[in-house]
Structure formats: C-alpha cells, structure tokens
Amino acid sequence: METQRKSSGDDGEGERGLLHTWRGYSCSVTPERLLLPRPVLQVALGTRHGVLLVEGGQVYSFGELPWRQSQPSEPEKPALESALSGQRVVSIAAGSFHCGAVTEDGGVHMWGDNSWGQCGLSGLSTVPNPTPVALQDSDTTPPQTVPVLELACGGQHTLALSAQREVWAWGSGCQLGLIATVFPVWKPQKVEHLAGRCVLQVVCGASHSLALVRCLGPHDLQRPLVDKCRQCNQLLYTMTDKEDHVIISDGHYCPLGVELTEDQGRLEAPAPIQILKTSPSEPVLPSQTSTPNSGPAKCSDPSDGPQETEESGLANGALPAADLSSSAQTKVGVVVSGVKSSLYPDEQAVKDYLKKLTDNTEQTTRTSAPGGGLHTLLPSAGGLSSTPGSALNSLVASCASAVGERVASTYEALSLKRMMNYLPSGAPRPSGTAGLTGDNTPDRVRIEDSSQAKKSSSTGDIREEEAEGLRRRLSLPGLLSQVSPRLLRKVGRPRMRAAAALTPLGGAVPEAQEVFPTLQTEVWSWGHGEQGQLGHGDSLARLQPLCIKSLNSKEVVRLAAGAHHSLALTAQSQVFSWGSNSCGQLGHMEAPSTIPRLAKLSEGIRVWDVSAGERHTVLLADGDCIQPIIYYSGQQVKDGEEERRPQEEEKEEEEEEEEEKQRAGGYTQQPVLLPFCMNLRYVSNVFAGGQSCVALSDRNVMGFIASLHELASAERKFYCKLSNIKTQIIRPLLELESLSSALGQVTLGLLQTLAGRFSLLCHLTGQHAASLTANLRRGRDVKSLLILDHVDIFLDSYNEYCGPLGNFLVMGGFQSLTKPSLDFFGKSPELLQKLSECSEENPAMSDLLVALFYLPTRHLHEYGRLLLKLATCFEVCSNDYQKLQESCSRFEALALQLKKRRKEADYTFNFWKNFPGKMTESLRKPHRRLICESSNKALTLQNAGRFSVNWFILFNDALVHAQFSTHHVFPLATLWMEPIPEENTGVYGLKVITPEETFTLLASSPMEKAKWLRSINQAVDQALCGAGQDAASVGSGSGQKLEPPISRTASYTFYKDGRMKDAKYEGRWLTGKPHGRGVLKWPDGRVYTGSFKSGLEDGFGEFVAPNKTLNKNDHYQGHWRDGKMHGPGTYRYASGEVYDGSFQDGLRHGHGMLRSGKLNTSSPSVFIGQWQQDKKAGYGVFDDITKGEKYMGTWQDNQRQGTGVVVTQFGLYYEGAFKDNKMMGSGILLSEDDTTYEGEFSDDWTLNGKGVLTMPNGDYLEGSFSGEWGSGLKVSGSYFKPHLFDTDKDKTRAAVKLGRLCVCADDKWQAVFEECWGQLGCEAPGRGENWKAWENIAVALTTSRRHIQDSPEVMSRSHSRTLESLEFIPQHQGPITMERYHAIRLYLIKACDTPLHPLGRLVETLVAVYRMTYVGVGANRRLLPQAVNEIKSYLNCIYQIVRFLFPDLPEEGGLIPEPTTNLQDKKEPNGTAAQPESPKPGRVVSSSALLLPVLLPRLYPPLFTLYALDKEREDDVYWECVLRLNKQPDLSLLAFLGVQQKFWPVSIPVSLPVLGEKQQVLSSTKDACFASAVETLQQISTTFTPSDKLQVIQLTFEEITKEVQTLLKQDFLWSMDELFPVFLYVVLRARIRNLGSEVSLIEDLMDPCVQHGEHGIMFTTLKACYYQIQHEKIT
C-alpha cells in the first residue's frame, strides 16, 4: 500500500487524509481546506477549538486555546503539540474545553481546562500542555497501570476505554457513573457497573455519557439466573394465581432515575451520602436499618412504622443521611404516580424523605469538607466498611417501590407502540455479575421457556420493532399480562418458530466470532437527562449506566453524542436519535424525543458515519453513486456570529437556547444534503463539535479508494436488502398459522433450516459490512480486509445456505408456499417483486419466491468483480494482487458450482413433477438429486420377463429399479459396477453387484453403456467422497478417475431372509461383501464388532447377545472363522458364568476354563480342562468351592467317568474309578490321620463291597463294608493286628500304593499341548514342517502386536522391546555349538515371557492349570508325587516342541562338544548345570537344564507348599533341634559337633576393621565362625531351580575351604570325616526353616547327569546333615 501514499508534487497536497472544515448548511457554504504536512487520521472538536491527529502520531491544536500561556497569533492555523513529540499518538479526544490523547502503549495525556477535574490532575485549574495521567487498577497487587484504547471527553468529565474493554471515568457530575460522594474525582476510577462486560465504544455529551456494549454471548449465560433485584432485594418476578390463568408480573422497578432540578447553582453531583455495603443477597438486618444516632433528623416517625423501612427496598442497607448544614438547597424528586404498592403512607412522605436525603450545596461538594460534611454511619456496626468506595449502589437506591403499572398503561395509551421498552425497568448490576443483562428484561420470562433459553434478552435475537400488538403488550414492563394461557399458546407458536429459525446463535460462524465485529450490542447511558438525552423515555438523571431497551436488537455499531442529544448508527445504516431537538438536530420532528427514533432520510440513503456538535448532526452516507454524500441536521450558523458571542456560560440554558434560535436564524426540519460534498471526493470520516463540522477525504489514486468505497457500499446495500427480506418476507411467512398445514412437517423443517441459514448469512454480511466501514474510517488498506483472510467463512456460509435451499426446491417447497404467500402478500406482490429484483411481467408467485431466495447467490459474482477491480490497482507480481486474485477466483468458482447445483435441483424437481405419484412419496428425499434415468428404454434388465417394465433411475445416492407397482433402491455406497467384455457375447452388458443381489443390465448401444458406466461410477465416487469417507483413497482428481475403489467404507441394512436379516452393517467392504473391520447390529440387540472376511465374521471380534430372560447380555470376545466362534476366546454368559478357552465351529472345544456362579472373585465352582463339542470330555480339574472338594481326573459328557482323584478341605483323599459322575468301582480312600480304606465303592464316599480298612498304627480290618464314610460303617470281616511284637516297623502299607489309580502325568493336559502344536501348524505332535512353524510364530506375534498397538496402554515399553526382538527368527538349522545353545536358551526365556508367543502362551496355560490343581483344596500332601511327575511330564512335552523348532538339539541326555573350559566358565554365570573342574568332552543337554529355569519359578509356590506339608513332621523335629543347638556359643558348638581343633578359628576379622586387624574368638563368641559360609548357605531359600540350589551348596563348600585355608596357611584336601562336622556346624548356624523340603525338591528334580558328579557328593553331604540333625541326641 506504500505505493498509494506518495505525495503528488511539491505543493504539499497529499492524496490521503485531506481536511475540510465548515459551519452550517446554507447553499453558500464552501468548506475550507486546512493544509497539513501529513495526512490527517482523526479530528476531535471542542466548543471553540479542535485537535488533529496526523500520520506518524503527531497532534496539532487549532482554535481558541485559553489554557495556553502564550496565545497563538493565528488561532485558525494548527499548531503542533510539542509536549507529545517522541510519543506516537494513536487516538485523540476533545471535550468542551479540554483535550486528551492516547499513545501507542496505552498511556493517557490530558490538557486544557481542569476546573472540574476533567483532566484527572489535582491542584490545577488549567493544564497548559499534554500531561500524562495514569489509570491505576487498585484491585491488583501491586496496583498495575491500565493501558487505554480510546478516550471520550465531555463538558466536565472524561471517559476512557481500557484494553480490557472496561470504562474508567474522572471529572465531575453524575455522568461519570461512579459511586462517588465527593467531586471532582481527580483520580481515574473504574465504572464498576460495566465491569465484566465488553464495552466497544464510549462517547460523551456535555453532561451525559453513552457506552456501546457487546451483548453477553451464550457462554456467559451458564451462570444461575438472578431472581432478586441486586439493589433492593425485591423479587424481580411475581406470580398471581387467577381462576384459569397465572399472571406473571415483571413490574419490579429500581428507581435509579432522579430528577435533578436547578436552584441557585447547578448540582454537579449527588449528595455525598455513604452507602453501607452488604452482600446483595442478604436481607437488610434490623440493626442496619436503625436510624443513625448522630444526626439531627430522624428517618421516619415511629408512628410510620419503623419496621417498614426494612421491606421498602432500602438497597442493601443504604441509610438516609441527615441534613447537611447548607445554604442552598437541592431538590430531588421522584416521579411517583399513585403507586398502590408503595409501602410509604403517601407520596408526600416520599418526597419529603428524598428531599431530606439530598439537601446539599455545591460548595460542600466542591471542597468536600471533612468536618461535619460527611456523617459516619452506624457507629454501632463496627466491622462494616463505610468508606465511600465501598458503597455498592447509587444515591436513591433506597427509594420506595416501583413506578408501577399505571405508567405503563399510560404510555400504551399514548400509542407509543413502536417504542416498547422505554422504562428503565430495573437496576443494572454491580460489577462482576455478568449473567443476564442486569435489568429485568421484558423478554426474559418469554425466552426462558422458548427454544432460545441459551440466549439472554440482550443478545438481540433479531426481533424487529415490527412485531405486533399483543406480544408487545405482553412484554411491557410492569404490565400484568392477563391473557388466557390458550390464547398465549396460540400466539406464541408461530412467533417462536420465527424467532427460533431466524436467530443467529452467538456469531455468524463460531470462528468468526472474535474476528468479525459484533452486531449484537446494547447501548447504555447515564448522566443528566433533562433533555431526554439518555433515551429512557423520561428526563430523569441516571447515576449509573442503564441499558436503553429499545435499541437492544437494533444492531447498533456506532454512537455519537452532541451537547444534549445522542445518536446511534446501526449496521443497517439507519440512525436513531434522541435528546434535545431545539434546532432539529435529531433529524426528525417527532415528540417526545426522550426515546430513540429513526432520523428521517429518503429511501436508499444508507448512513455509515455520524458525528454531533453542540446543536447539529452530520451524517456520512451512500447515495446512488459510489462517492459518499454528507447530510446536515440542526442549527444554521451565520458568519461573524462567533465573535459577537459573549461568555454566557452562567446564563440559564433555557434562555440561551431561545436566544440562539433567534440569532442563528433557522434550523433544519430533517437532514439536508450538503451540495458541496461531491467536490470533496471520497470522504472517509465526518466530525462535528461546537458549531463546526469537519470531513476527511482521499483522492482516488489508481482507482483504489473508489474500489474500496464501492466494495463497502455494495456490502452495506446487500445487508440492508437481506435484512429487509428477512423482516418483511421470511419472518411474516414463518409466523403464518397456515404454514405447517400447507407445507407438511418435512418441508416446514427445511424451511426453518433455510431461514436459519439465511439469517446466519445475513448476519455474516452485516458483520462484514461493519468491518468494511470501519476499514474505510481507519486504515483504508487491503491488509485488513476480512474477506481475504477468512474467505472460507464466506464460502462455507454460502455453501451451507444453498444446501437447504436446493432441498427445499426439490421438495416442491416453493410451490407449497405459493398459497400462504398469496394469502399474506395479496394478489399484488409488488413488495416481493421489488425485493427479488425480478423484471418479468406478472411472474408466478413461486418463481418470485425462488428468485428471492436465490438472490444471495448473485452476490458472489459481485464479490468476484469487486475483488478483481481492487486487484487491478496493484502490480501483478505483488502479494496483494495474488491474494485478491485468488479470493476472486474462489468466489467465481463457488458461484459456478452453486449454479450447477441449482440446475440439478431444478432438473430433479421437474422430474418429480412428472413422476407417478405413489413412488414420489417414498423416493422423494430433500438431498436426493436425479442424475439420469432410462425412460427411453436405453437400459434393460437381462433375462427380464416378456411383459415386465424395468425402469432404472440413477440418483446421487441410490440406483432405483422401478417396475409396475414396486421399486427397489440400491444405495450407491454399496454398489459395484463391472462392464462385461463384449467380445464373445455381443451384448453391451453391465454387471451390478450389491450386498444381496447381483444382476446384469443391458444397454442399447456402446454409447449408452459408456454413459451409464461413467455416470454410475462417478455417482458412486461422489457418494463415497460426499459422505466424507475414504476421501484419501478416492484421491483428489475424482473427476478424472474412471472407477471408484472396490474396497470402501459404508453402511448397509440387510433385507433378505437369513442370518443377517434386518441387521445393519457399518464398516469396510470389498466387492459387495463385508471385508475388514466393521460393526454388525441386529434389531434384537445382537452386535458383532470386529473383522470380516468375504461377508462373514473372521478374525478377532466381539459379540454381544442380549439374554431376554435374565435381562443381561452374553458377551464373547475372541477369534472367529467363517461366521462362527473359532480359536481362543472369552465368553461371559448372562448367568454370570465365564468360559475362557478354545472354540471350534461356535462350540467350546479344546482346552478351556469355566467359572460359574454369581461372584466371579470366589466362584462357587471352577472347571479347567478339555472340552469336546461344548461338553467336558478328557482330563480336567473341577474345583467345587461350595462343597470344598476338588476332582482331578477324566470326564465324558460333562460327567466324571474313568479314573480320578478327589481331595477335600477336611484332608480326605480318594483315588479310583468313577462312573456316571459317582465314585463307583475300586478305589483307595485316606483320611487326614492316615486311616486307609482300599476296596469297592458304589457312590460318593459310600463303601460297598470287599475291602481292607487299615488304622494309622497298622491294624487292619478285612471283609465286606457298606455305608457312608464318616457316618458309621457296617462291617463283616476279620480284624488283624500285625507287628504286635515289632517296635520300629510302624509304616503303613497304604502310602506305598498311592498313584496307581489316578491319571498318569503324561495323559494330563493333552489338549493344551495339542493347541500349541496346532498354532505351530502341525496336525499332531511332531508332524509338520519346521519352516511353517516359524512362519506361524512370526505371524502370531505381528498380528497380536498390531492388535495391542490399537490400545497401547496395555503394553509396557520392555514388553514391546521383547516382542520386537522375538520377531526376528533365530538361526534354527545347523550343528549346535555352545554358543548356539546359549542363544537358544535366551530365545526360550524371552519367548516364554510373552503370552503372544505360542511357547509363552503354552507356559502361561500350564502355570494356570498347575495352580488350579495344587492350590487351595489341592494343597494336600498326598498329591506331592503327582505334582512332581506333572512337572517332569511338562518338561518332556515342551522339550519335544523345542526340538521340533531347533531340530539339531540332541535328545535328552545328549552331548554338545565344548571348545574349551574357560569359554564355558564365561558362558555359564548362572550355573544351570554342572560346572566341571577338569576339561570334559562336552555338555550334557537335558530338558531340566534348559527349561526348568523358565518353568519352575512360576510353579514354585504351589510345589514348595506341597513339599512343606509332606515333610512337616520331619521338619518340625529338625527345627526344634536347630533352635536348641543354636543356643550354644561357637566354640562349645564346634566342640560338641566334634570338629577337629585345628579347624577352630582363633581370631576372626572385625566387622569394621583397621586393615588386617583381627578379633579374638572368645568362649562367649556366637555366630562369628564360618560366618560367610553360613550366609552363603542361607541363600538356598531364595533360589528356585535344583541347579541353582546346588550351586549355592557348592559356594558354601568353597567358603568353608577358603576360611580353613587361611587358618592353616596351606593348600588342603578334605576327607569326609573332617568335612562333615564343619559342614554340620554351618548348616545348624544357617537356620534354614524348611531344609527337609529343600532337600526333597532337589532330590526329585535334580538333573540325572549331575547325581554322580561333584554336586551329587555335596548334595549327599547336606542330606546327611539334615538326617543327622533330626536324630541328634543332646548329652
């Protein structure tokens, strides 16, 4: 834009910001041009002076400047304000006799007359030069300086708008809006009443103030509604019950208005009363309402009823102040018109009271004398703050009750119908409470019930003043709406419809909210009101800001104030004015002028800038041409009049005005056009002040300024047009009673959507027009054009508008609207014709409506044209040109697209007109558009009957096959089209595939075939893209692409009979079949979510099926194949049972666990084992928790059948035969005390037949038994008592025989191993391909990993690392060396760590079944041999699998050649096998060495428990002995054990030694000898595998040897006689609790190849020690 700022030549005449000034409006007036070195940006005019802001931020003053020390020689010539040099000023303001400037950093500078404190500097009556004034926010600590955006200056006050959009004020008078008691207010203070609201602009009149405030958005309305008045605690709404209806009154009125009459001096401020602050919600306490005891006058006579003060609305305890000693009196009156509800005895009392309240003098106010001037309120209320600042509310907030209903009806009688909200119908709120508007709004009750509950009354839903009588009456403040509810409902319905449809919620578009200027504004006013300049319908003063109700929904975008009149400019380019109209400055001559009314301007004049002087108004408007025109309204000014004018400030204003009128010689009745404005070229701003007017204009450089003006003007014109359509056409139509019957539900819904979208579009246009206007006033550059930066918002709005519009057209909405429209607009549709710009003669009503609704789309070309015009002002290579050009082409492209869419809609509409009626109803859908149809017999069905009629219609969402009376709809998303090659058949066929049907269409010619193929494929493609699905795979150039993807995402509902009938599928497809991930839902509530393959469930999936009887769901999660459950899964039954295991063909088959019972934590029963065809069959363990029994054995058909073992919680043990679920046949039964029965059984625990019963002491009975065990047996047989004379042979015979009648270890859990083999791809163990097994492992890992990555929270980082390392297949061919052996070992450890690996899954399952078997009731010592055998069998079976994976591993006990000893030392830190002391030919491979380290740690707890139970008695004897012997000190124990003396340590290292220091072993020393060996041996309890335990024993021996060698100082070889006592000492001192169990475990599971080596000998030694200790006799 720099290109347009160059000055033209040296004559100093620039092209921007040219300043013209004039006075009055006569034809002879010619504006003067003020020459300045730089373009002027802003002008501010006072009574007799002016201030200019030029580019670069300098400020000039001109006119009379009495505050200057030296008066300028030429007052008319602008002089630079040098005090501001070095500061960049961004905004200026001028009051009557003072000025202000705002700098770039938000600082404020003031100068001029300061006698009222209006410059904010104390102690100076004038301020000669600009001086900084700081706004300090005392709420923050430390106080922060508040940056300012703009200033406004009045006669005796100044307002500032802060960057936080809050208002600050200083100076004098009630127009400050402060809760002040002393004037002037020198220090800027925040206007608390507007705090928390977003103020957009502030302006000042001579003695009043206005603020433009943004309405509260929906997000501000989440706070609870207020039902009590903040000022006086009265209810805002009252409800009265009448017979058939309820009266709701919102007649509450807080009297903030006061009539300030003039006596000797003008009152500048309310009396300095202090108001006590209490919380708004608390009631006034009696103590607070008591009369102040200091103070000459009493508040009210006791006879008047002192308690009445409490209810009478004393606002928050504000008390009447007593008289202040005064000479001059100030009257304060309140207009009260015989209010019945007043609690005071009569009106006179109120007046007297008020008079008493505010008697005061100007002097007191000015000097604010502390002595006796202010009364201290309530000395009794100690803690309560009573400083002036803490006062919550204004002067007379303590007045009587509302100005009641009578006033309302009187005004109604005055037929002020158009101005509905003239009363200040409530008190605005104190700071911070930004809930609803702080006044009781007339609309509030109504809106709460309506669909717009989320909007406040103030958010200006677009309800124009055209709304008619009844509703207006209902909303009058204070008018009791005595109307029957039925009538209300009747009236309310269409209204609501219109209001709901036409309300733009929040902003136009959510993201547009912050960027675009808001149109939803309110105007608040306060200060003196004697001329009606506050706009509240009266001439009372307001001490605090109050919202002007009648401007609420008028979309005010700019305010201006003259001395005693006010102006509001709306987004629709109308001007509302109110206040003093002595010289016609309001632009109309209607009375009363106390409420806002429209200025009279001829039609088509759109005002976009306003300014006001003392008694005149200047308007800047659009006329017929692009160049702006200027109107003037108000007083005529004669030449030379100013010099004659004496200082007459002290004169009464009334006289002054009369004089003025006579002298000035006339004024305007309505705004007049200033003829000279055309010579000023492109005016961008007008300013007025005093009696002067100023216009700023630009030259049109390269057409740029003209294009900007044209763009703004076009947008304003367009907005006015849209607003008119909305208010004059759309709203009346929506409010018609007959609408729903004429249109029907669907079309009515479309119309409402359409109206809503129209409203949003209209709103956006208004916001844009406001922003373009602001750009003209301010920068006039391309950078700030929102249409460039936010072009998408515009395009989207038009797109969203045209969607419902086309739908409405297709559904024949405009035809249906014809009748209601004719009824409403009459037979002469001039209004419609004018608004729709239709040029035809006698157009049809429906055509008019279509033209009207399609009108906005024509504006897109206008955007394109104007942006292109702007672009031509720039160099082609510049960025601005590119940007404008791009936006222009986007608008043009959208215009073309919308045109095409309209054509499609028309084509479809005409199709429906001629289509047979019945089908239309079912097929006609709003969004459906016709693409092509085969009525010309171009397409027929192959193999169709001879007389059948087949008609194919292609829509944008479906292919319809219509026959005589039926039709079938095939959605395009699930339609696949394949051309049939023509070579052999000679027919032009197209194969159509849909999920449930496949048929062939025959075209009449190759052309037709190509046309239909292309059309259908394009339509399918569009349908897929339009749904927003799969856009990526379709690709950007969908137009060029020949065919849509065969794999796609879509939803479909099946209709044919079968398993899927009426089910809805959503997910991936492949040529007509669900394939990939998807969701299938049946109407009866069944849902499958997971993978599909060729139309059936396949892969991992979840299935939910409702169980009607239990009213809960069955839930399956697991694997599927061919539509059935197949593979591992978990099924949770509605009954509470849970099955976790394998399925096959939808049935439980393979290994699985079933928990039953309601409480899953402690289920009554658990079965784990093999299933066949949904039944228990094979080996399984059943834990019956309620009975306390556990069965381990074979099953058939869900029954115990074959051999098995039962253990109970009472220690009974049975092993033997079962039949039909009962113990039947021969068996063995043992009880806890070793009583044994061996013989025949007939039922559970029931003996029947021959048998032998053996007692614990060896006696036995032999014979026939019958009866239940434990409840008295019948016996016939012989009793034997063997060993009568033997002593030691008391072993029972039974112990020997156990284990014969139970399932042998190798037959257990076969299903588990079979599953593992199956996962590796083998049909039977060991039968299969090695490479295939490895492939299956890799696949299993990858798929499981992918499955987990969908829910990453499941997997830890280390777990994922393990998985990654397992995905590499290790080398599994070739000869096994030691290195390969170690690699295999590490691989197995990792594989068994993750259940995703088949081996890991196997180990996990084995651990689960092992624990299920041997934990709980299964912890029975008699099961130990079986438990040990089971582990050995596991090792063998797993080793078989490992050898299958690594075929070169030698068999059990085979050898691996070993290179050298030291390598093996290095490789074997864990010592899982023998560590030989001399080189050997190799390493023995055994399953226990390879697999026990993986398996045993997981099985250790249940196994060791069994050992401990089995060895309980021996361990107790051993432990008792250990405890006894350990009481002895070291030396005596060594002696007792017979350790040779040479092994006794004489001294031992001290625990914290100085190097080499020893400590003598004394006779009392305990636990010190061989301490390191003892510690080493104790670690045996912390290891799991036998090899690790043997390693510990070996280390213990080494420690003993080391210690002895240091003692003897020489190498030394043990003999067993010497070693045994020493080792016995170490074992005793190690105090290992379950040593017997440890010994047995090592013995049972020790690697066979170790038994005869060094480890074997050491182990034998330990075992010998254990037996020695048990039988040790202490002498």
Side-chain angles (χ1 to χ4, degrees), residues 511-617:
E511 63 267 33
Q513 221 163 7
E514 296 310 315
V515 185
F516 286 80
T518 180
L519 301 185
Q520 296 171 342
T521 54
E522 305 167 332
V523 181
W524 294 58
S525 62
W526 64 100
H528 288 257
E530 54 279 357
Q531 312 276 332
Q533 63 262 55
L534 298 187
H536 296 303
D538 54 33
S539 51
L540 301 184
R542 294 294 188 289
L543 310 177
Q544 286 183 344
L546 187 59
C547 182
I548 303 179
K549 282 302 177 23
S550 56
L551 290 176
N552 263 2
S553 54
K554 296 292 181 285
E555 299 183 354
V556 175
V557 289
R558 192 167 171 76
L559 300 174
H564 302 292
H565 70 291
S566 312
L567 307 167
L569 173 65
T570 69
Q572 287 155 27
S573 306
Q574 296 173 314
V575 180
F576 285 90
S577 55
W578 63 97
S580 160
N581 202 9
S582 55
C583 302
Q585 60 261 55
L586 295 188
H588 62 75
M589 297 312 287
E590 293 178 45
S593 61
T594 54
I595 44 175
R597 295 176 180 281
L598 280 174
K600 280 205 171 51
L601 286 158
S602 46
E603 203 182 339
I605 302 296
R606 290 177 297 282
V607 179
W608 54 273
D609 196 13
V610 292
S611 192
E614 214 168 307
R615 292 191 179 79
H616 66 287
T617 300

Side-chain angles (χ1 to χ4, degrees), residues 1332-1346 1367 1369 1396:
K1332 186 141 186 258
W1334 281 109
E1335 222 169 72
N1336 283 1
I1337 288 174
V1339 168
L1341 284 171
T1342 321
T1343 52
S1344 312
R1345 193 153 157 243
R1346 234 184 262 137
E1367 281 182 21
I1369 297 177
L1396 307 179

Side-chain angles (χ1 to χ4, degrees), residues 1-137:
M1 283 314 305
E2 292 308 311
T3 49
Q4 277 119 50
R5 290 221 172 126
K6 57 183 192 299
S7 77
S8 55
D10 301 327
D11 55 359
E13 192 173 287
E15 284 128 357
R16 286 290 191 101
L18 314 176
L19 185 88
H20 311 270
T21 157
W22 76 96
R23 293 156 162 254
Y25 62 92
S26 68
C27 304
S28 55
V29 171
T30 46
E32 247 176 89
R33 167 93 186 273
L34 274 187
L35 291 179
L36 284 141
R38 295 189 174 191
V40 179
L41 300 178
Q42 195 189 346
V43 182
L45 300 174
T47 309
R48 302 202 182 138
H49 75 288
V51 191
L52 311 175
L53 171 63
V54 301
E55 204 172 77
Q58 292 111 323
V59 176
Y60 290 82
S61 303
F62 62 94
E64 294 179 21
L65 314 170
W67 46 86
R68 283 271 177 92
Q69 275 95 347
S70 58
Q71 286 303 320
S73 50
E74 304 174 65
E76 290 309 314
K77 192 164 188 279
L80 182 67
E81 290 290 351
S82 49
L84 287 170
S85 59
Q87 304 266 10
R88 190 184 175 91
V89 174
V90 291
S91 164
I92 52 171
S96 301
F97 298 101
H98 70 293
C99 320
V102 179
T103 57
E104 205 169 23
D105 56 3
V108 176
H109 292 69
M110 303 292 302
W111 67 101
D113 177 28
N114 190 30
S115 43
W116 307 95
Q118 63 262 56
C119 284
L121 297 158
S122 56
L124 297 171
S125 61
T126 58
V127 181
N129 290 310
T131 312
V133 174
L135 278 69
Q136 294 280 337
D137 192 350

Side-chain angles (χ1 to χ4, degrees), residues 76 165 197 253 517 592 661 779 821 992 1236 1277 1303 1602:
E76 290 309 314
R165 298 278 171 194
R197 288 179 169 272
Y253 171 59
K661 280 187 198 170
S821 307
V992 178
T1236 309
V1303 180
K1602 248 189 248 167

Side-chain angles (χ1 to χ4, degrees), residues 63 143 258 307 335 346 366 426 541 617 642 672 708 710 724 739 953 961 985 1034 1161 1167 1350 1371 1417 1477 1584:
V258 281
Q307 64 280 14
V335 188
D346 61 2
R366 284 284 172 79
T617 300
E642 192 174 3
V672 294
L708 269 185
E710 187 176 358
N724 286 338
L739 203 59
I953 311 160
H961 175 204
T985 55
V1034 169
T1161 43
F1167 171 82
D1350 295 344
Q1371 183 194 351
V1417 179
E1477 71 283 1
F1584 293 124

Side-chain angles (χ1 to χ4, degrees), residues 39 173 379 437 491 568 828 843 923 955 1045 1091 1159 1204 1261 1553 1579 1617:
T437 334
V491 169
S828 51
L923 289 177
F955 292 107
S1091 302
L1159 311 163
L1261 269 165
Q1579 290 169 12
D1617 291 347

Side-chain angles (χ1 to χ4, degrees), residues 1418-1609:
N1420 187 311
R1421 61 195 163 96
R1422 305 190 201 285
L1423 291 175
L1424 177 64
Q1426 294 178 37
V1428 174
N1429 289 337
E1430 203 166 312
I1431 287 184
K1432 288 180 177 167
S1433 130
Y1434 289 174
L1435 291 176
N1436 290 334
C1437 296
I1438 298 175
Y1439 189 62
Q1440 195 184 347
I1441 295 173
V1442 172
R1443 280 201 60 214
F1444 174 71
L1445 291 175
F1446 299 98
D1448 297 312
L1449 265 179
E1451 291 203 9
E1452 182 83 29
L1455 285 178
I1456 298 175
E1458 202 164 325
T1460 59
T1461 318
N1462 54 0
L1463 173 76
Q1464 194 259 342
D1465 287 350
K1466 259 191 291 179
K1467 285 281 175 194
E1468 246 328 306
N1470 297 10
T1472 49
Q1475 187 142 351
E1477 71 283 1
S1478 58
K1480 273 190 177 176
R1483 157 52 99 45
V1484 179
V1485 175
S1486 67
S1487 53
S1488 58
L1490 201 54
L1491 297 167
L1492 265 184
V1494 175
L1495 203 55
L1496 201 53
R1498 296 170 161 85
L1499 305 178
Y1500 196 77
L1503 179 65
F1504 197 75
T1505 309
L1506 289 174
Y1507 273 113
L1509 290 168
D1510 191 51
K1511 293 277 175 274
E1512 195 170 14
R1513 292 175 193 172
E1514 294 159 45
D1515 271 349
D1516 283 350
V1517 175
Y1518 147 83
W1519 187 239
E1520 199 183 327
C1521 197
V1522 169
L1523 292 176
R1524 215 167 46 228
L1525 291 174
N1526 265 311
K1527 288 175 184 161
Q1528 303 187 34
D1530 289 355
L1531 296 184
S1532 57
L1533 184 56
L1534 285 167
F1536 173 75
L1537 294 175
V1539 177
Q1540 296 178 15
Q1541 243 171 336
K1542 61 174 178 181
F1543 300 134
W1544 292 18
V1546 188
S1547 60
I1548 48 175
V1550 193
S1551 53
L1552 293 167
V1554 181
L1555 202 63
E1557 187 192 326
K1558 301 277 188 184
Q1559 175 198 330
Q1560 189 66 36
V1561 175
L1562 306 170
S1563 58
S1564 62
T1565 310
K1566 200 175 168 198
D1567 286 342
C1569 302
F1570 297 108
S1572 62
V1574 169
E1575 267 176 35
T1576 309
L1577 186 58
Q1578 281 168 339
Q1579 290 169 12
I1580 198 165
S1581 309
T1582 64
T1583 54
F1584 293 124
T1585 61
S1587 54
D1588 287 354
K1589 293 182 190 288
L1590 290 169
Q1591 190 77 12
V1592 170
I1593 299 170
Q1594 183 184 349
L1595 290 171
T1596 310
F1597 276 103
E1598 285 170 12
E1599 286 294 331
I1600 295 175
T1601 311
K1602 248 189 248 167
E1603 202 156 326
V1604 170
Q1605 277 175 351
T1606 50
L1607 210 57
L1608 301 175
K1609 302 193 174 48

